[in-house]
Amino acid sequence: EAGVAQSPRYKIIEKRQSVAFWCNPISGHATLYWYQQILGQGPKLLIQFQNNGVVDDSQLPKDRFSAERLKGVDSTLKIQPAKLEDSAVYLCASSLEGGLETQYFGPGTRLLVL
Amino acid sequence: GEDVEQSLFLSVREGDSSVINCTYTDSSSTYLYWYKQEPGAGLQLLTYIFSNMDMKQDQRLTVLLNKKDKHLSLRIADTQTGDSAIYFCAWGNTPLVFGKGTRLSVIA
């Protein structure tokens, strides 16, 4: 079974530029999560989708971050404009349904904002 | 709210046992998880325990849960160099709340 795929693996941009990350969850997984992991910290949930609907986006900085999962499969996370403090690893995870289901993580996209 | 605390570093010799500790403040969650993160990789689920259990053993891994003290530990028996990684405890139903992680270094 293929795991969660993410691209790109690394991205370097200047502040105020835009950037987008892509995630392909495990086939058949209805729930998709985006996490932000700042260096030296644990992952923090940004947004959770159930199919193509948003379940929780309470910690997403909506003035600059956006995410979509239009067809209930792949998802994109966008930052526009980026700030220095957005430098982090962005992890995508998926689970079969959500709630207490085990989450499976992708390798992450490492973003450096200069 | 929920909070999870972990010690940041642990160094052990190959073949010894490792014990990684985690304390939490919110006891409403059904499960507690241990994840492993190797350099440049995502998080890999190692094991989990139901909140109504005290102990769970899975090969070299032993999870102990002390609900009274709100303390969780992960013991790795016969620690190997391949166990070197960052270990996160995670607590909560939805969303998961992660600790800051414990970096385990195994000395050959």
Side-chain angles (χ1 to χ4, degrees):
Chain A
E1 178 183 85
V4 177
Q6 290 187 248
S7 68
R9 292 296 310 277
Y10 305 94
K11 190 75 179 177
I12 300 174
I13 61 172
E14 294 187 346
K15 60 183 179 183
R16 290 188 287 274
Q17 285 187 322
S18 301
V19 65
F21 313 127
W22 173 81
C23 172
N24 180 238
I26 292 173
S27 178
H29 280 196
T31 306
L32 185 147
Y33 311 80
W34 282 103
Y35 288 87
Q36 180 192 58
Q37 185 179 18
I38 293 172
L39 186 66
Q41 297 184 21
K44 182 187 81 172
L45 181 71
L46 291 175
I47 189 167
Q48 176 184 345
F49 291 95
Q50 181 80 11
N51 296 309
N52 60 352
V54 175
V55 173
D56 183 354
D57 63 356
S58 57
Q59 298 200 77
L60 187 74
K62 298 180 187 63
D63 57 333
R64 297 183 301 105
F65 286 64
S66 64
E68 59 183 16
R69 193 185 184 201
L70 293 177
K71 296 182 179 179
V73 181
D74 294 4
S75 176
T76 55
L77 176 69
K78 297 179 181 177
I79 307 175
Q80 182 180 12
K83 292 185 175 181
L84 297 177
E85 58 261 35
D86 297 332
S87 294
V89 177
Y90 291 85
L91 295 165
C92 180
S94 70
S95 64
L96 200 57
E97 285 298 332
L100 303 180
E101 294 281 338
T102 298
Q103 297 183 28
Y104 297 87
F105 284 78
T109 296
R110 188 175 297 273
L111 173 68
L112 179 60
V113 182
L114 302 176
Chain B
E2 299 182 32
D3 195 17
V4 182
E5 295 292 333
Q6 289 183 246
S7 49
L8 295 181
F9 301 99
L10 177 65
S11 181
V12 299
R13 293 197 176 277
E14 191 174 21
D16 288 351
S17 293
S18 308
V19 179
I20 301 170
N21 296 300
C22 174
T23 59
Y24 59 94
T25 56
D26 182 17
S27 55
S28 64
S29 300
T30 306
Y31 293 83
L32 183 68
Y33 303 85
W34 281 104
Y35 280 87
K36 176 183 179 182
Q37 187 175 37
E38 295 182 80
L43 276 72
Q44 171 197 354
L45 178 66
L46 280 180
T47 186
Y48 63 90
I49 188 169
F50 287 92
S51 59
N52 62 358
M53 296 172 64
D54 297 322
M55 186 183 83
K56 178 179 179 181
Q57 188 151 1
D58 184 1
Q59 298 181 342
R60 293 191 298 122
L61 305 178
T62 303
V63 180
L64 295 177
L65 177 60
N66 182 329
K67 292 181 282 294
K68 175 176 174 290
D69 294 337
K70 296 185 179 178
H71 181 264
L72 181 87
S73 66
L74 173 70
R75 178 177 179 271
I76 305 173
D78 187 25
T79 311
Q80 303 296 308
T81 54
D83 295 325
S84 293
I86 302 176
Y87 292 79
F88 293 93
C89 61
W91 190 256
N93 296 328
T94 302
L96 285 178
V97 176
F98 288 84
K100 292 186 176 182
T102 298
R103 183 179 295 273
L104 174 65
S105 296
V106 182
I107 305 166

